[in-house]
Amino acid sequence: INQGIVMTTGTILNNGSGPQGPNNAASSGVDNNSPGSGLLSNNILGGTPTFNAATLEFDFIPYADTVRFKYVFGSEEYPEFAPPNNSTYNDVFGFFISGPGITGLQNIAQLPNGGGVVSINNVNPINNSQFYNANGDGSSAPQNGSNFYIQYDGFTDVLEAVAKVQCGQTYHLVLAIADVEDPIFDSGIFLEANSLSSNVPVE
């Protein structure tokens, strides 16, 4: 992803604590002392507390029967707090769509193989490893010496969120990410510019 939007539980400033590389710190992050996301806690985590939530929401009108966009999830929680290590520090995010033909809120941030949500515990070297990319540990080369690499210790492949919609109707989309169980190490979502799109309009 060359251009787009970054949503993070910490900072986007290029001060060594944000997602900008090199990956030269094993535990970068910022605690913003901000509230979490009830949407994530209640709809994905079964009530587990969250912190430092970042949320973007808007209405849109699709002009076809499918809407889609591309994203990457990265985190400083990798690899220390991911399987095979058992941890509750399971940073997570969701893309929730609602509107005509959709019952309640539907989280479309799902793995393409039907493997569930995209989170620390569900995408890592053990679980759904085909979608995971290791990015060093903050002290290993070449990641710790080049701005080509992001600061986060791991990230997913470019994934695609897809939803079936009704042409010409109004839908609401909520994008949310949060720290889970503690507010320390950060996670982020990279949204590809201009990737929110529909198929060829339905005649």
Side-chain angles (χ1 to χ4, degrees):
I1 293 179
N2 294 319
Q3 292 183 322
I5 296 172
V6 179
M7 296 176 59
T8 174
T9 61
T11 180
I12 52 89
L13 297 177
N14 190 5
N15 59 7
S17 295
Q20 296 90 345
N23 182 10
N24 57 5
S27 56
S28 70
V30 173
D31 180 3
N32 294 314
N33 296 307
S34 298
S37 167
L39 192 60
L40 292 172
S41 293
N42 297 327
N43 289 277
I44 295 181
L45 299 168
T48 302
T50 57
F51 304 87
N52 294 325
T55 304
L56 173 66
E57 59 182 301
F58 53 89
D59 291 332
F60 68 95
I61 300 174
Y63 289 98
D65 62 358
T66 305
V67 66
R68 62 186 70 235
F69 56 92
K70 294 179 180 179
Y71 65 94
V72 168
F73 171 71
S75 182
E76 194 69 359
E77 300 280 7
Y78 293 121
E80 300 94 329
F81 301 103
N85 304 315
N86 294 321
S87 170
T88 57
Y89 304 125
N90 181 33
D91 289 2
V92 69
F93 74 100
F95 298 156
F96 299 94
I97 190 171
S98 60
I102 298 174
T103 302
L105 291 169
Q106 178 184 348
N107 179 21
I108 58 175
Q110 304 282 329
L111 294 175
N113 63 348
V117 300
V118 181
S119 68
I120 299 296
N121 283 348
N122 201 39
V123 183
N124 49 63
I126 303 300
N127 302 317
N128 296 297
S129 59
Q130 67 270 36
F131 303 113
Y132 174 73
N133 300 278
N135 191 50
D137 57 10
S139 60
S140 59
Q143 292 89 352
N144 68 341
S146 172
N147 290 333
F148 174 81
Y149 299 94
I150 62 173
Q151 180 69 263
Y152 299 146
D153 289 350
F155 56 91
T156 69
D157 289 347
V158 177
L159 301 172
E160 189 172 54
V162 181
K164 290 291 185 181
V165 291
Q166 296 176 12
C167 181
Q169 299 296 312
T170 299
Y171 289 83
H172 191 69
L173 189 63
V174 181
L175 288 63
I177 183 170
D179 290 327
V180 178
E181 285 283 6
D182 82 320
I184 310 300
F185 298 168
D186 292 341
S187 296
I189 291 293
F190 302 82
L191 304 169
E192 185 178 73
N194 302 314
S195 69
L196 179 60
S197 62
S198 296
N199 294 333
V200 177
V202 177
E203 296 294 338

